[in-house]
Amino acid sequence: MRLLKKLFKLLFYFFILLFIFGIVTFFIIAKDLPSPEQLLNENPPQSTKIYDRTGEILLYEIHGQEKRTIVSLDQISPYLKQTIIATEDAGFYQHWGVEIKSILRSILKTIWNGIFLGDFSDIGRGTSTITQQLIKNAVLSNEKTITRKIKEIVLAIELERRYSKDKILEFYLNQIPFGSNSYGVETAAQTFFRKSAKNLTLAQSAILAALPKAPSFYSPYGSNLEKLKERQRYILDRMVALNFITKNEAELAKNEKITFAPPLTNIKAPHFVMFIKEKLEEKYGKDIIENGGLKVITTLDAKLQEKAEKIVEEKVNENAKKYNARNAAAVAIDPKNGQILAMVGSADYFNQQEDGNVNVAIRPRQPGSAFKPFVYAEAFKMGYTPETILFDLQTQFKTRAGQIYIPENYDRKYRGPISMKNALAQSLNIPAVKTLYLVGVDRAIDAAIKAGIKSIEKNKANLDLALVLGGGEVTLLELTSAYGIFANDGIKKPLSYILELTDSNGKVLEKFEDTEGEKIYEPQVARQISDILSDNNARAPLFGFNSPLLIKGYDVAVKTGTTDLYKDGWTVGYAKNIVVGVWAGNNNNDSMRREPGVVVAAPIWHDIITYYLSDKQNEPFIKPEPILVNKPMLNGHFANEKTVRINKLTGKLASANTPPELIEERTYKEVHNILHYVKKEDPLGPEPLPSERDSAYEFWEASVLQWIGIQSDFYLYNQPPPNEYDNDSFDIDKPEVQITNLNDNQIINQPHLFIQVAASSKVGIKQVDFFVDDQFIGSDFSAPYEMNYELTQEKDYVISVKAFDNNLTSAELSKKIIYQIPKTQNLAAEIFQTSYGSDFPKNFSVKIMQGDVRKISEISLYYSNDPNLNSSKLIQKISLDEQSANRTTFDFSWNQISSSEAPYYVYALIIDNEGNLIKTNVVVIY
């Protein structure tokens, strides 16, 4: 008992000493409390300036002097006072400067984290009242120390002792920053709404109350308007919970349309500047950016930016009228170092009606087919080739959720077998979905994330086969940067936007240094994609040869994209030294007038990249190495072909004893879908056994078999070749053949050679083929078997004939003739047509121009379908006698229509009594 009394006595003295120590500490610190005037009159901060890449063009200046107008509490809307209190300090009118419970809870948490985690960084977090915040912002620094926290608490208590709650609230409302260099509620109200703080509505008050937490992030002129609205709704719900307003009042305020006044500042490249400002505040904090006097030299190319802004504005004006596409965004990046050269976040930053201040370049949107190259690149990494054949046919797919999915091409057409190269170049959807299936959805997503398209990870669990058609949301900035990997031979350079950052004393805080980058693709894969996307001929079947995708004189690769319901149009393309991405559409997701990305986005892209390249030398893409693998379907052949030698009569495989004239090479074509030949994850490995085939095999195979069935040569496909050989011996009767009108080594004096053949066989003669010096000159299919030929040179000729019976057994015979050109008399003749028109008969006249007509024995009229007069046919022959000696003109009529097609080459041969011969000119009949 005595021990217990001593213990209580010691504790009593301890608390007495602690109380005295606290009183002394309080008065020591309290003497430093500034006057109210000091609270509102600090030294002005230094401005931060943001420049283009030259360091000479000022894009934006964050004013060093705070914009502030002091107003009394009665000049501030009651709604605004309530929203601030509900947001920052609900118990403001109940406490005396500090919240004891919050302080104790913070102390215990700090002690716990310090002892067990070694982390004292949470000192005082979440415990500050409005009074404490006023002390911290006006008097103290932001350092997180126990001493500063004690000072804050002591000074807050003393401030509460000296001033009324209303006065403290007045101080606070005139002190706090709202962003855009606006300090205090009056300046904020004028900046964002062009009205006094006393006239703010409940909805507007909740908007202003949302800003102090993160002025840049929630800025009405930034790209997070929806987040700002979310915080506004939270504040209104908080006010209902505190009984400041009714639920009905909150709902009316939530539905009130908020219109922000345009910024009252000169700014160049506004979306880019706000992007830079947010990034700097994330890294260095708002106070440093607004007060630190920083100099920021960015990567922006001011001339390119200005041109891009002008192009976007002009094209959007056209798109709005023609296609209901009222906005667009564009980004340009140097793929060699990752530097942002231009960023146009909308057509008009100051157009509040179209949410122009929203930076669509960093806002997630569905990319449509612009995502396809990353899926194909992953397929090429796995071993598939650009020549790999897929069937562009209506095909059923089963999603990971077990649902049936049937994609369609943009033009609702099916092209049958097509290479991956042509499928990507023409942006065909069905082959793209098949490629994604072969790659795997998760692998494709992971590859895209690795390439820098990180925004797609947000909805990774919900993405399926439609991913390759643009089912996942990405930002234009990320997508454009990722395309730069292909331009840079597979190397990803980190996205950069600052060349140099210095503080007010000139100390360098950041400086751009180029890095080796990260290898995402082997050069071969990147070159394959560039080769496909730059091939104007490959994409021409869908886009035409002179689309906006063609940049004449430069190697440029490009891809378009269009989303469902035509809500987004994309074009992203690159040369070796620049990559440009363009989005077109509407911020509110209104559909365009059924126009694809090549119509609404490609003209913008074309003009921007053409402007940039116009004064630069072309840098050709390096061609990928040719690839030949061990599977025909990966080499560009949709059929596995097997050629065998067979006996035409028996249909069996030819043996060593099969007569040569019966042997025929026949090709058998095996056609299946790609899953018949590959395991999707290992395309270069062994073919899957029937028991190992993929679950999608039956769906894919069904469409291929249906396609085969409607082909005109369907009988050539999937027929097994014979597996039996001919018998070892043959006893075949050959046909008999004779040349009846020519003798071996016969001398011929006239150029017109007539060949007559007799042929016979037990099974009948099918045809007789005629050859001169092993050159085929024609066939005759019925007896008598005849052929005409015009001899042109004085030499020996070998005349050969080959007769085929109806079993295609053949017999051959050859004879040599000797052609000697005779000495002709002094004759000259001319043929001319005497009747015209398309119908027969055709009439001709042959006129003897020179020579003795009495010595002419006959005149013959011929025609041929060959301009060299081979295989001529006799039309009519006239024999002359002495009674014809007085005539010089002889008439002919061709009454029968030839079985051959025009043109006809008509001429005459004139023979004298000594066997000499001349030929007239040739008349051509069409």
Side-chain angles (χ1 to χ4, degrees):
M1 182 62 73
R2 288 181 180 178
L3 184 61
L4 190 60
K5 286 182 179 181
K6 287 182 179 181
L7 183 59
F8 276 117
K9 199 172 187 178
L10 288 173
L11 286 174
F12 174 76
Y13 290 133
F14 173 76
F15 281 114
I16 291 293
L17 290 173
L18 187 62
F19 176 75
I20 295 171
F21 174 78
I23 294 295
V24 172
T25 302
F26 177 85
F27 282 104
I28 291 173
I29 294 176
K31 67 182 178 62
D32 296 326
L33 184 68
S35 67
E37 291 74 18
Q38 288 176 295
L39 287 174
L40 301 176
N41 289 281
E42 302 174 81
N43 293 325
Q46 297 183 60
S47 65
T48 289
K49 295 181 177 63
I50 300 177
Y51 293 89
D52 77 329
R53 66 187 300 111
T54 67
E56 297 178 357
I57 299 177
L58 180 64
L59 304 177
Y60 184 63
E61 182 175 4
I62 304 173
H63 297 287
Q65 186 174 0
E66 299 170 357
K67 293 187 292 183
R68 178 187 286 115
T69 301
I70 306 298
V71 293
S72 60
L73 199 61
D74 60 355
Q75 294 297 306
I76 299 172
S77 166
Y79 290 132
L80 184 54
K81 290 184 281 188
Q82 290 177 328
T83 55
I84 291 290
I85 289 171
T87 307
E88 302 295 336
D89 187 1
F92 173 73
Y93 280 100
Q94 284 76 47
H95 62 66
W96 37 275
V98 295
E99 287 278 8
I100 299 300
K101 291 181 180 179
S102 298
I103 293 174
L104 291 175
R105 185 166 56 248
S106 176
I107 291 172
L108 291 174
K109 182 179 179 181
T110 301
I111 293 172
W112 177 272
N113 290 343
I115 294 174
F116 295 97
L117 302 178
D119 180 11
F120 290 91
S121 62
D122 276 339
I123 296 171
R125 180 170 294 181
T127 67
S128 294
T129 63
I130 283 178
T131 312
Q132 289 175 267
Q133 290 181 52
L134 178 60
I135 291 295
K136 180 179 66 175
N137 292 332
V139 181
L140 302 176
S141 67
N142 283 322
E143 63 177 342
K144 295 178 180 179
T145 64
I146 295 176
T147 302
R148 190 205 62 78
K149 194 66 181 177
I150 292 173
K151 287 182 179 181
E152 177 185 299
I153 293 171
V154 171
L155 291 173
I157 295 172
E158 178 62 12
L159 191 65
E160 290 268 350
R161 188 181 68 82
R162 293 191 187 186
Y163 300 103
S164 68
K165 286 286 187 180
D166 284 350
K167 195 63 178 178
I168 293 172
L169 182 60
E170 181 181 299
F171 290 159
Y172 180 77
L173 293 177
N174 283 293
Q175 175 74 29
I176 54 177
F178 289 87
S180 297
N181 293 314
S182 298
Y183 287 78
V185 293
E186 179 65 18
T187 302
Q190 291 289 350
T191 298
F192 299 119
F193 300 114
R194 298 291 190 271
K195 60 167 58 175
S196 297
K198 66 180 179 181
N199 297 323
L200 293 173
T201 66
L202 173 59
Q204 292 169 336
S205 297
I207 287 288
L208 287 190
L211 295 176
K213 181 179 181 181
S216 290
F217 181 84
Y218 290 114
S219 172
Y221 305 135
S223 56
N224 299 304
L225 280 181
E226 188 53 41
K227 297 292 184 183
L228 176 60
K229 288 291 292 183
E230 285 180 13
R231 182 154 173 80
Q232 179 210 37
R233 291 190 287 268
Y234 160 79
I235 292 171
L236 291 169
D237 290 338
R238 176 80 173 145
M239 293 177 72
V240 172
L242 294 171
N243 293 319
F244 288 174
I245 59 173
T246 66
K247 189 172 183 180
N248 183 55
E249 288 176 311
E251 291 303 315
L252 289 174
K254 289 177 184 178
N255 294 322
E256 181 178 321
K257 184 177 180 180
I258 300 293
T259 301
F260 297 102
L264 291 173
T265 181
N266 292 325
I267 184 171
K268 296 179 181 178
H271 293 101
F272 177 73
V273 164
M274 291 302 170
F275 170 79
I276 293 290
K277 189 169 180 286
E278 286 185 17
K279 292 295 183 183
L280 291 176
E281 286 189 0
E282 288 176 8
K283 187 170 185 179
Y284 296 100
K286 176 174 62 67
D287 288 342
I288 295 295
I289 303 307
E290 294 185 350
N291 306 318
L294 304 181
K295 182 178 180 181
V296 187
I297 299 177
T298 69
T299 60
L300 194 80
D301 183 327
K303 290 184 179 179
L304 178 61
Q305 174 73 23
E306 183 179 0
K307 185 67 174 180
E309 289 177 356
K310 183 177 180 181
I311 291 169
V312 169
E313 181 182 7
E314 291 176 351
K315 295 297 184 183
V316 165
N317 288 338
E318 296 176 13
N319 286 346
K321 296 174 184 176
K322 295 180 180 178
Y323 315 119
N324 190 39
R326 302 184 302 273
N327 201 8
V331 170
I333 297 171
D334 186 337
K336 295 180 179 180
N337 51 36
Q339 295 177 4
I340 299 175
L341 301 178
M343 177 187 287
V344 184
S346 74
D348 183 358
Y349 179 82
F350 301 104
N351 186 344
Q352 294 294 317
Q353 186 176 354
E354 294 295 339
D355 293 332
N357 55 310
V358 174
N359 188 351
V360 188
I362 58 175
R363 187 182 226 183
R365 306 282 303 206
Q366 290 190 351
S369 297
F371 187 77
K372 288 177 182 175
F374 301 97
V375 176
Y376 280 94
E378 198 62 22
F380 298 158
K381 282 178 65 174
M382 295 170 63
Y384 295 97
T385 72
E387 301 305 322
T388 297
I389 296 296
L390 298 172
F391 278 88
D392 179 27
L393 302 169
Q394 188 176 63
T395 307
Q396 291 187 11
F397 296 85
K398 186 174 287 187
T399 66
R400 295 194 285 190
Q403 298 175 330
I404 295 299
Y405 171 52
I406 305 177
E408 290 287 348
N409 291 325
Y410 170 75
D411 57 5
R412 299 294 192 271
K413 294 180 181 179
Y414 309 106
R415 292 159 178 80
I418 191 168
S419 68
M420 283 187 174
K421 172 179 179 174
N422 288 331
L424 174 57
Q426 297 171 36
S427 198
L428 302 180
N429 290 341
I430 297 171
V433 175
K434 288 185 174 180
T435 302
L436 176 59
Y437 182 84
L438 296 173
V439 169
V441 175
D442 288 336
R443 176 170 180 157
I445 294 173
D446 292 341
I449 294 171
K450 188 176 181 182
I453 310 175
K454 298 185 183 299
S455 52
I456 203 171
E457 188 172 15
K458 182 178 180 181
N459 296 315
K460 179 177 180 179
N462 299 322
L463 296 175
D464 212 314
L465 292 173
L467 167 69
V468 73
L469 309 184
E473 291 188 338
V474 305
T475 70
L476 176 62
L477 182 61
E478 288 178 338
L479 191 67
T480 305
S481 176
Y483 267 77
I485 300 172
F486 301 131
N488 203 32
D489 259 1
I491 302 298
K492 181 181 80 172
K493 290 299 183 77
L495 198 64
S496 58
Y497 38 84
I498 293 177
L499 293 180
E500 186 175 87
L501 174 65
T502 56
D503 65 14
S504 58
N505 297 317
K507 179 182 178 182
V508 177
L509 303 179
E510 291 185 26
K511 191 174 181 65
F512 174 79
E513 293 184 6
D514 200 4
T515 66
E516 292 183 359
E518 179 184 3
K519 180 189 283 188
I520 303 298
Y521 304 111
E522 290 295 330
Q524 172 77 348
V525 171
R527 292 168 187 174
Q528 286 171 328
I529 295 295
S530 297
D531 185 59
I532 294 171
L533 298 185
S534 63
D535 191 334
N536 195 53
N537 292 329
R539 63 172 171 256
L542 189 70
F543 297 100
F545 285 97
N546 292 302
S547 73
L549 307 179
L550 176 64
I551 309 297
K552 294 182 179 179
Y554 292 91
D555 281 25
V556 176
V558 59
K559 185 71 187 71
T560 64
T562 310
T563 58
D564 287 344
L565 304 179
Y566 300 92
K567 292 184 177 182
D568 305 88
W570 298 73
T571 301
V572 187
Y574 56 90
K576 291 290 287 184
N577 53 357
I578 190 172
V579 52
V580 176
V582 172
W583 167 90
N586 296 302
N587 283 20
N588 64 355
N589 278 325
D590 279 353
S591 294
M592 299 176 285
R593 293 196 184 106
R594 299 183 64 81
E595 293 297 342
V598 71
V599 173
V600 294
I604 301 174
W605 172 87
H606 177 277
D607 287 1
I608 292 174
I609 200 167
T610 298
Y611 170 79
Y612 182 83
L613 294 174
S614 60
D615 61 349
K616 296 173 178 63
Q617 293 290 326
N618 180 44
E619 295 187 43
F621 291 127
I622 301 174
K623 287 288 185 182
E625 294 294 326
I627 298 176
L628 188 65
V629 297
N630 61 348
K631 295 185 179 181
M633 205 161 194
L634 271 62
N635 288 332
H637 305 287
F638 74 90
N640 273 5
E641 297 184 354
K642 183 177 182 180
T643 301
V644 297
R645 300 167 75 246
I646 66 166
N647 185 318
K648 292 183 290 186
L649 293 181
T650 65
K652 296 180 180 180
L653 294 172
S655 68
N657 296 319
T658 303
E661 63 269 18
L662 296 183
I663 296 176
E664 176 184 78
E665 285 193 346
R666 188 173 296 173
T667 299
Y668 293 84
K669 299 179 180 181
E670 179 189 66
V671 181
H672 299 285
N673 78 88
I674 193 171
L675 294 173
H676 187 92
Y677 305 105
V678 306
K679 296 176 182 177
K680 61 182 182 181
E681 66 281 356
D682 183 20
L684 301 181
E687 289 188 8
L689 300 173
S691 60
E692 299 174 326
R693 284 176 184 158
D694 192 271
S695 60
Y697 178 87
E698 297 300 332
F699 281 152
W700 293 25
E701 186 73 359
S703 62
V704 173
L705 296 179
Q706 185 178 15
W707 175 81
I708 291 173
I710 62 174
Q711 303 306 304
S712 59
D713 54 351
F714 68 91
Y715 55 88
L716 295 177
Y717 300 116
N718 292 346
Q719 300 296 321
N723 54 17
E724 295 183 11
Y725 283 88
D726 269 341
N727 297 328
D728 290 339
S729 62
F730 290 87
D731 185 13
I732 298 176
D733 292 328
K734 293 186 176 182
E736 295 182 358
V737 61
Q738 288 291 330
I739 300 176
T740 59
N741 67 328
L742 296 175
N743 297 318
D744 204 21
N745 294 311
Q746 180 177 341
I747 297 175
I748 304 296
N749 295 118
Q750 60 182 27
H752 183 72
L753 178 66
F754 176 67
I755 309 169
Q756 191 173 52
V757 172
S760 62
S761 171
K762 293 179 180 180
V763 296
I765 295 297
K766 178 178 177 63
Q767 70 186 66
V768 175
D769 294 344
F770 294 80
F771 302 85
V772 175
D773 289 342
D774 292 328
Q775 179 183 357
F776 175 73
I777 62 171
S779 299
D780 200 345
F781 299 91
S782 60
Y785 304 103
E786 300 174 342
M787 187 63 57
N788 294 288
Y789 183 76
E790 196 73 18
L791 304 174
T792 58
Q793 300 181 43
E794 190 174 25
K795 68 168 192 170
D796 295 350
Y797 289 88
V798 176
I799 309 302
S800 302
V801 295
K802 193 171 186 179
F804 293 86
D805 64 17
N806 287 322
N807 287 335
L808 298 181
T809 306
S810 65
E812 187 173 358
L813 179 68
S814 297
K815 288 186 178 182
K816 184 176 76 171
I817 64 168
I818 303 167
Y819 174 45
Q820 294 179 350
I821 299 177
K823 296 180 180 179
T824 63
Q825 60 170 320
N826 189 22
L827 283 175
E830 182 181 1
I831 184 174
F832 52 91
Q833 187 176 355
T834 59
S835 66
Y836 297 90
S838 59
D839 299 326
F840 279 79
K842 303 288 187 184
N843 297 319
F844 306 89
S845 290
V846 175
K847 185 174 182 179
I848 306 301
M849 307 297 293
Q850 179 180 323
D852 189 351
V853 178
R854 293 173 299 177
K855 294 183 179 182
I856 296 175
S857 61
E858 65 181 39
I859 303 175
S860 300
L861 192 70
Y862 292 91
Y863 83 91
S864 173
N865 294 110
D866 183 357
N868 295 320
L869 306 183
N870 293 324
S871 305
S872 298
K873 299 286 185 181
L874 177 67
I875 297 175
Q876 186 181 354
K877 179 188 295 185
I878 296 178
S879 298
L880 277 68
D881 53 29
E882 291 184 359
Q883 288 153 0
S884 305
N886 296 325
R887 297 172 57 191
T888 58
T889 300
F890 301 88
D891 297 324
F892 293 86
S893 181
W894 184 8
N895 294 311
Q896 292 184 339
I897 300 175
S898 170
S899 61
S900 61
E901 295 183 356
Y904 306 108
Y905 299 90
V906 181
Y907 62 99
L909 292 179
I910 302 171
I911 303 176
D912 65 11
N913 296 329
E914 297 178 359
N916 298 316
L917 177 146
I918 68 167
K919 183 176 70 174
T920 69
N921 57 300
V922 177
V923 175
V924 183
I925 306 298
Y926 291 96

